[in-house]
Amino acid sequence: MTRPGLPKLIATDLDGTLVRSDDTVSAYTHGVLDRVRAAGIPVVGATGRGPRLTELTRNDIRAADFLVMAGGGRVVDQSDPTGPVVLRDERLPAEVLARLLADLEAEVGPLTVMVEASDEHDAPLWGDYHESWPYQDRFEARSRAECLSCDVIKAFARTADHHVDELLAVARGIVSPQVATLTQAGLGFIEICPPGVDKATGLTVVAQSLGVDPADVLVFGDMPNDLPMFEWAGWSRVAVANAHPALRAAADEVTLRNDDDGVAVYLDRLLSR
């Protein structure tokens, strides 16, 4: 349940939550987030986007004091006057990913696989082409051997024979959480992250650096990769109306859709009451 007063930290997912379907963030939303910061409440962008998309992410949530990226694997403090400070940077070893994919393919058949290997600005994903991937301008076809030639920030996988939620359930039955963290973010692929990496553990790094209790954190989201931070935060967990059913079920409240500036409308009312 929502606690009285104001939260001490606000974290929001970006794509599907803060960012609209046309890949923009409204001036109204930017203005409300500026008011949140002016009220003394730190703002965190918590996203599945990898560090290669840091510039895009900063533009979409300009008020953010911290960024939790790569689903929790990269945490950046943007409030330091000397420049951004990386507080967390995790990788999944290539040999672990190779064994994991082999085990999965033995169970479900051939997978379409992509990896996020580089944190350089706008670096492409590597791997198997699939027409459904929405960001073809940042993709480069590479062999499986090339994809497994280095440790990765995260990997993506899908199969033609399973809905993404079904594949995620099967994969979680095969892959131990001590080996990798598995989730999905609404792109039709399961996401394979280093063990112990999710948005909750990323936000824990932020909260500890600020001395904020999770009970005082307000979070917004739309997809299963937001569930860990919904389980972690205690002030309130707010889903946008377009959220995945699993996230709506875990939410304390539901705000308007991302296309209707649901996060900003909620925060505007919160600040005004």
Side-chain angles (χ1 to χ4, degrees):
M1 294 295 292
T2 302
R3 298 180 62 183
L6 292 173
K8 294 182 180 178
L9 183 68
I10 291 172
T12 180
D13 171 58
L14 297 184
D15 298 301
T17 302
L18 192 77
V19 180
R20 300 179 293 191
S21 300
D22 63 358
D23 295 329
T24 65
V25 177
S26 70
Y28 168 65
T29 292
H30 283 303
V32 171
L33 290 174
D34 286 340
R35 287 175 57 208
V36 169
R37 287 191 75 236
I41 305 170
V43 174
V44 184
T47 179
R49 297 176 185 177
R52 66 199 178 92
L53 301 177
T54 298
E55 184 176 318
L56 173 66
T57 301
R58 285 175 177 153
N59 184 63
D60 283 343
I61 185 162
R62 296 193 289 261
D65 300 278
F66 293 82
L67 298 177
V68 172
M69 303 191 71
R74 173 72 67 94
V75 179
V76 181
D77 179 356
Q78 302 198 121
S79 65
D80 193 304
T82 63
V85 177
V86 176
L87 303 179
R88 188 188 202 193
D89 187 9
E90 302 288 343
R91 294 288 193 280
L92 183 65
E95 62 272 17
V96 172
L97 179 59
R99 290 196 303 270
L100 182 160
L101 292 174
D103 290 345
L104 269 180
E105 289 190 316
E107 180 69 23
V108 304
L111 292 166
T112 297
V113 175
M114 300 182 299
V115 300
E116 187 161 10
S118 174
D119 59 4
E120 294 183 3
H121 173 66
D122 272 353
L125 297 183
W126 299 347
D128 304 319
Y129 167 77
H130 197 280
E131 66 276 2
S132 72
W133 184 250
Y135 309 112
Q136 297 291 341
D137 58 326
R138 295 189 182 99
F139 169 79
E140 185 176 309
R142 295 273 189 111
S143 69
R144 182 73 62 87
E146 288 177 289
C147 291
L148 297 174
S149 65
C150 61
D151 298 347
V152 302
I153 297 165
K154 70 160 73 170
F156 303 80
R158 68 170 291 151
T159 172
D161 299 327
H162 297 75
H163 183 273
V164 63
D165 287 330
E166 180 187 2
L167 179 60
L168 179 59
V170 172
R172 283 177 170 168
I174 296 170
V175 180
S176 163
Q178 284 71 46
V179 172
T181 299
L182 305 178
T183 188
Q184 73 102 342
L187 296 171
F189 288 70
I190 64 168
E191 300 191 2
I192 305 166
C193 300
V197 165
D198 59 38
K199 291 187 180 183
T201 59
L203 284 171
T204 296
V205 174
V206 175
Q208 289 177 344
S209 73
L210 295 173
V212 172
D213 191 296
D216 294 316
V217 180
L218 163 64
V219 293
F220 297 89
D222 75 316
M223 278 292 156
N225 67 331
D226 297 316
L227 282 170
M229 71 175 183
F230 269 45
E231 295 165 358
W232 173 85
W235 195 88
S236 192
R237 291 70 63 94
V238 182
V240 285
N242 52 288
H244 188 283
L247 205 78
R248 288 178 62 107
D252 298 309
E253 302 176 78
V254 177
T255 186
L256 300 176
R257 297 173 57 85
N258 63 321
D259 288 338
D260 297 321
D261 296 326
V263 172
V265 168
Y266 181 98
L267 291 173
D268 198 352
R269 290 172 178 165
L270 180 66
L271 293 171
S272 300
R273 73 187 186 192

